[in-house]
Amino acid sequence: MTTTLICDCNKTMPLAAKALGAALAERQDLPLHTTLCRREAPAFQRAVVAAGEEPVVVACTQERRLFTELASETPGAVAPIRFVNIRETGGWSRDAGAAGPKIAALLAAAHLPEPEPVATVGYRSEGRLLIVGPLDQAEAAAGMLADALPQITLMSTGPGAQGGTQERRYAVMAGRVERLTGWLGAFELAWTQDNPIDLDLCTRCNACVAACPTQAIGLDYQIDAGRCDSTGACVKACGVAGAIDLDRAPRRLEARFDLVLDLGERPLIDWHAPPQGYFHLPGGLGAGPQALAALLRIREMVGEFEKPRFFDYRQKLCAHSRNEQVGCNACVEVCSAHAIDSDVAHQRIVVNPNLCVGCGACTTVCPTGALGYTYPRAPEQGRTLRTLLSAYAQAGGRDAVLLLHSQEAGQALIDQLGRQARLGRADGVPANVIPVGLFHSASTGLDLWLAAVAWGASRVVVLFSGEEAPAYRAAIESQLSIGQAVLNGLGYAGRHLTSVAARDPAALDAALAGLRAARPQAPAQAARFAVGADKRATLELALDHLVDQAPSLPDAPIALAAGAPFGAIAVDKDKCTLCLACVSACPASALQDNAAAPQLRLVEKNCVQCGLCRSTCPEQAIELVPRLSLAPQRAQPVVLNEARPWSCVRCSRPFGTQKAIEAMLARLAGHAMFQGEALERLKMCSDCRVIDLYTEADPQKIAEL
């Protein structure tokens, strides 16, 4: 049994220990501590020893480090310790007296088993650092890192008047950067050395600087071509060193590095989520705390490192491409880390795990579930949300609001708000708002949001705290709008799926205040289904329950915006020749033919609106119709178009369609290769064409046939 320890933090929280214990699955008797981290610390030590190998939940994150160290120093303590924040999330709030059900829910979720471990992605860095920028700044940065990194190379971005020290301390390159790619331990730099001064040969004697009549040479020992008069005075002054050649042809060079510090005003990698191991300081070392933080991180990035592999990819479900046609491109377009590429030749997308930063936005916009989030996986995320809502309701809570936030910036914002509430400067997190920490706020999607509403949530709110890429926010807003359209279409009144944006505690407090009064209509009875690994299956389970509990069902399909994962297709029958190219392109088996008759059929339940049918159709006869149909035939094949079959003019066997054959004849009638008998053969089935060609070549063979 999991042991739970609660503390009212020096009597600053009104905790009802008996009610909280009764709300847990184990029905524990929870003694209320006041200073568990100080005078009552022996109670913690006794608990971790008595628990054996069973987990111990400590309802405090403020003193996580202290409790961890205390457990390590306690003989016989082997119990795993979990920490949950009930103070800033509920106990320190204007509504603290009514926050019991929320605190019970948070404790219940902390009792869940740990998520299954995920695969990891490895990095290896030997500390080979490249610093790009003005030579004086680059040398200053190198001086702060030299004791921690074994190899530092400077790339001077001159020419310029400012140079480095007279003493040559580091390898120095110069030129025009063409390309920088890669990630921690595997950066590749390509540059063009196009300056007349070779820094490998230069002795920094300064003779050229003194001799130059136009002052075109700075102390970075590079020539400013715009000021050079090409008199050759510098060449003569260089003498036997031979470092200057005004006629030297540019050379393209490449090198590999483990880390990159970019001091240029314009970043060499201009992404919202740059690769690990790349640091950009546009203000150079004058960037203040940002520069200090970057230098400290660089010092620590030598050795072997691991991070979670944040995604699973199942190509079989992917709707990206078929037959060299691109359909769904949502994941490629939304990724701010440039970790996803299109591989049309192999009918797939390719995700680079080294570049992936774990935002999960790609899995959110994926309509089929081909990309799945793993940190944690959807079933584990769903289990947490369902446990929170179930425990909240059982403890007497009403109108539950799930606030989905990031574990870093979002959690920090909530912690700051809790402190302000404790000091009477803010209202704090409302009693009915349950914060849910995610690795990234973009890592959940329509399947979990609708499932949460089915489980009893009155609202699901995504918190944007400022670190998100613009593409992520746009994608999340789009998916929230689609889900809300479904709920409103089913008659559920109010706003159930929404977002709030806040960068400081005051803004968050104002945004959360509106969640106290809002009471969107929820299902009369909460669902009991569990989330599975298949995204579409979870969506169907959630929709089935929401439809079953719907206040009112529409007579027509619910219209949805483009990008919805549900819908039908509209076929222009005047253009469609029933070539069935769309059937072979459909990755979800939504479009089907009929072996018994020339028909094009649609199983609307399977359609993911990827657009492959539209891009494949040679006649441009298909349009997507995003919608949610509730009709029973949604799961059955419905005929979209059909035609009379064409009969072979030789054996009368039906093949193809009359419209398709006539269209082909009309197009090829003027072609030189299809005249006379050749055109007639197009009216025959494949067997008769062979026979006709064979007998034309040797009429006597007809007897043998």
Side-chain angles (χ1 to χ4, degrees), residues 677-689:
E677 294 182 357
L679 189 64
E680 285 299 307
R681 291 192 190 100
L682 296 179
K683 304 176 183 179
M684 303 177 188
C685 65
S686 57
D687 291 342
C688 288
R689 289 177 198 166

PDB file of all heavy atoms in Angstrom, residues 677-689:
ATOM      1  N   GLU A 677      -6.898   0.185 -86.272  1.00  0.00           N
ATOM      2  CA  GLU A 677      -7.083  -0.984 -85.418  1.00  0.00           C
ATOM      3  C   GLU A 677      -6.521  -0.767 -84.015  1.00  0.00           C
ATOM      4  O   GLU A 677      -7.009  -1.355 -83.037  1.00  0.00           O
ATOM      5  CB  GLU A 677      -6.428  -2.209 -86.058  1.00  0.00           C
ATOM      6  CG  GLU A 677      -7.101  -2.639 -87.353  1.00  0.00           C
ATOM      7  CD  GLU A 677      -6.455  -3.880 -87.939  1.00  0.00           C
ATOM      8  OE1 GLU A 677      -5.454  -4.347 -87.357  1.00  0.00           O
ATOM      9  OE2 GLU A 677      -6.954  -4.369 -88.945  1.00  0.00           O
ATOM     10  N   ALA A 678      -5.491   0.057 -83.904  1.00  0.00           N
ATOM     11  CA  ALA A 678      -4.913   0.322 -82.585  1.00  0.00           C
ATOM     12  C   ALA A 678      -5.933   1.004 -81.674  1.00  0.00           C
ATOM     13  O   ALA A 678      -6.001   0.721 -80.472  1.00  0.00           O
ATOM     14  CB  ALA A 678      -3.665   1.183 -82.715  1.00  0.00           C
ATOM     15  N   LEU A 679      -6.721   1.909 -82.241  1.00  0.00           N
ATOM     16  CA  LEU A 679      -7.740   2.568 -81.445  1.00  0.00           C
ATOM     17  C   LEU A 679      -8.853   1.591 -81.075  1.00  0.00           C
ATOM     18  O   LEU A 679      -9.397   1.645 -79.971  1.00  0.00           O
ATOM     19  CB  LEU A 679      -8.316   3.761 -82.216  1.00  0.00           C
ATOM     20  CG  LEU A 679      -9.253   4.688 -81.427  1.00  0.00           C
ATOM     21  CD1 LEU A 679      -8.490   5.360 -80.294  1.00  0.00           C
ATOM     22  CD2 LEU A 679      -9.886   5.732 -82.337  1.00  0.00           C
ATOM     23  N   GLU A 680      -9.176   0.674 -82.009  1.00  0.00           N
ATOM     24  CA  GLU A 680     -10.206  -0.323 -81.738  1.00  0.00           C
ATOM     25  C   GLU A 680      -9.809  -1.243 -80.598  1.00  0.00           C
ATOM     26  O   GLU A 680     -10.650  -1.716 -79.832  1.00  0.00           O
ATOM     27  CB  GLU A 680     -10.504  -1.132 -83.000  1.00  0.00           C
ATOM     28  CG  GLU A 680     -11.317  -0.398 -84.034  1.00  0.00           C
ATOM     29  CD  GLU A 680     -12.677   0.000 -83.500  1.00  0.00           C
ATOM     30  OE1 GLU A 680     -13.400  -0.895 -82.991  1.00  0.00           O
ATOM     31  OE2 GLU A 680     -13.007   1.200 -83.561  1.00  0.00           O
ATOM     32  N   ARG A 681      -8.508  -1.515 -80.483  1.00  0.00           N
ATOM     33  CA  ARG A 681      -8.068  -2.427 -79.420  1.00  0.00           C
ATOM     34  C   ARG A 681      -8.303  -1.831 -78.039  1.00  0.00           C
ATOM     35  O   ARG A 681      -8.401  -2.567 -77.053  1.00  0.00           O
ATOM     36  CB  ARG A 681      -6.586  -2.758 -79.591  1.00  0.00           C
ATOM     37  CG  ARG A 681      -6.295  -3.620 -80.799  1.00  0.00           C
ATOM     38  CD  ARG A 681      -4.881  -4.165 -80.774  1.00  0.00           C
ATOM     39  NE  ARG A 681      -4.551  -4.793 -82.029  1.00  0.00           N
ATOM     40  CZ  ARG A 681      -3.833  -4.235 -82.989  1.00  0.00           C
ATOM     41  NH1 ARG A 681      -3.326  -3.019 -82.806  1.00  0.00           N
ATOM     42  NH2 ARG A 681      -3.592  -4.878 -84.119  1.00  0.00           N
ATOM     43  N   LEU A 682      -8.353  -0.505 -77.938  1.00  0.00           N
ATOM     44  CA  LEU A 682      -8.638   0.111 -76.642  1.00  0.00           C
ATOM     45  C   LEU A 682     -10.044  -0.211 -76.161  1.00  0.00           C
ATOM     46  O   LEU A 682     -10.349  -0.059 -74.974  1.00  0.00           O
ATOM     47  CB  LEU A 682      -8.464   1.623 -76.733  1.00  0.00           C
ATOM     48  CG  LEU A 682      -7.044   2.125 -77.032  1.00  0.00           C
ATOM     49  CD1 LEU A 682      -7.043   3.640 -77.117  1.00  0.00           C
ATOM     50  CD2 LEU A 682      -6.061   1.657 -75.960  1.00  0.00           C
ATOM     51  N   LYS A 683     -10.893  -0.677 -77.092  1.00  0.00           N
ATOM     52  CA  LYS A 683     -12.262  -1.036 -76.730  1.00  0.00           C
ATOM     53  C   LYS A 683     -12.361  -2.482 -76.274  1.00  0.00           C
ATOM     54  O   LYS A 683     -13.442  -2.957 -75.939  1.00  0.00           O
ATOM     55  CB  LYS A 683     -13.202  -0.814 -77.910  1.00  0.00           C
ATOM     56  CG  LYS A 683     -13.178   0.615 -78.459  1.00  0.00           C
ATOM     57  CD  LYS A 683     -14.056   0.745 -79.694  1.00  0.00           C
ATOM     58  CE  LYS A 683     -13.976   2.143 -80.292  1.00  0.00           C
ATOM     59  NZ  LYS A 683     -14.810   2.270 -81.514  1.00  0.00           N
ATOM     60  N   MET A 684     -11.221  -3.181 -76.287  1.00  0.00           N
ATOM     61  CA  MET A 684     -11.201  -4.597 -75.922  1.00  0.00           C
ATOM     62  C   MET A 684     -10.665  -4.791 -74.511  1.00  0.00           C
ATOM     63  O   MET A 684      -9.902  -3.973 -73.999  1.00  0.00           O
ATOM     64  CB  MET A 684     -10.321  -5.380 -76.902  1.00  0.00           C
ATOM     65  CG  MET A 684     -10.721  -5.272 -78.354  1.00  0.00           C
ATOM     66  SD  MET A 684      -9.551  -6.157 -79.412  1.00  0.00           S
ATOM     67  CE  MET A 684     -10.118  -5.664 -81.033  1.00  0.00           C
ATOM     68  N   CYS A 685     -11.023  -5.921 -73.930  1.00  0.00           N
ATOM     69  CA  CYS A 685     -10.445  -6.298 -72.643  1.00  0.00           C
ATOM     70  C   CYS A 685      -8.992  -6.698 -72.856  1.00  0.00           C
ATOM     71  O   CYS A 685      -8.534  -6.867 -73.994  1.00  0.00           O
ATOM     72  CB  CYS A 685     -11.227  -7.439 -72.005  1.00  0.00           C
ATOM     73  SG  CYS A 685     -11.145  -8.998 -72.931  1.00  0.00           S
ATOM     74  N   SER A 686      -8.255  -6.859 -71.781  1.00  0.00           N
ATOM     75  CA  SER A 686      -6.819  -7.136 -71.897  1.00  0.00           C
ATOM     76  C   SER A 686      -6.541  -8.435 -72.636  1.00  0.00           C
ATOM     77  O   SER A 686      -5.600  -8.531 -73.430  1.00  0.00           O
ATOM     78  CB  SER A 686      -6.184  -7.168 -70.509  1.00  0.00           C
ATOM     79  OG  SER A 686      -6.827  -8.145 -69.691  1.00  0.00           O
ATOM     80  N   ASP A 687      -7.346  -9.468 -72.420  1.00  0.00           N
ATOM     81  CA  ASP A 687      -7.126 -10.748 -73.101  1.00  0.00           C
ATOM     82  C   ASP A 687      -7.341 -10.614 -74.604  1.00  0.00           C
ATOM     83  O   ASP A 687      -6.538 -11.120 -75.411  1.00  0.00           O
ATOM     84  CB  ASP A 687      -8.062 -11.816 -72.531  1.00  0.00           C
ATOM     85  CG  ASP A 687      -7.697 -12.208 -71.108  1.00  0.00           C
ATOM     86  OD1 ASP A 687      -6.549 -11.918 -70.689  1.00  0.00           O
ATOM     87  OD2 ASP A 687      -8.543 -12.791 -70.412  1.00  0.00           O
ATOM     88  N   CYS A 688      -8.393  -9.939 -74.987  1.00  0.00           N
ATOM     89  CA  CYS A 688      -8.700  -9.808 -76.409  1.00  0.00           C
ATOM     90  C   CYS A 688      -7.688  -8.936 -77.136  1.00  0.00           C
ATOM     91  O   CYS A 688      -7.430  -9.132 -78.331  1.00  0.00           O
ATOM     92  CB  CYS A 688     -10.107  -9.248 -76.602  1.00  0.00           C
ATOM     93  SG  CYS A 688     -11.418 -10.450 -76.177  1.00  0.00           S
ATOM     94  N   ARG A 689      -7.107  -7.979 -76.440  1.00  0.00           N
ATOM     95  CA  ARG A 689      -6.059  -7.172 -77.075  1.00  0.00           C
ATOM     96  C   ARG A 689      -4.872  -8.047 -77.456  1.00  0.00           C
ATOM     97  O   ARG A 689      -4.285  -7.914 -78.537  1.00  0.00           O
ATOM     98  CB  ARG A 689      -5.602  -6.063 -76.128  1.00  0.00           C
ATOM     99  CG  ARG A 689      -6.607  -4.960 -75.906  1.00  0.00           C
ATOM    100  CD  ARG A 689      -6.092  -3.954 -74.895  1.00  0.00           C
ATOM    101  NE  ARG A 689      -7.158  -3.135 -74.357  1.00  0.00           N
ATOM    102  CZ  ARG A 689      -7.049  -2.374 -73.298  1.00  0.00           C
ATOM    103  NH1 ARG A 689      -5.883  -2.326 -72.646  1.00  0.00           N
ATOM    104  NH2 ARG A 689      -8.055  -1.659 -72.867  1.00  0.00           N
TER     105      ARG A 689
END
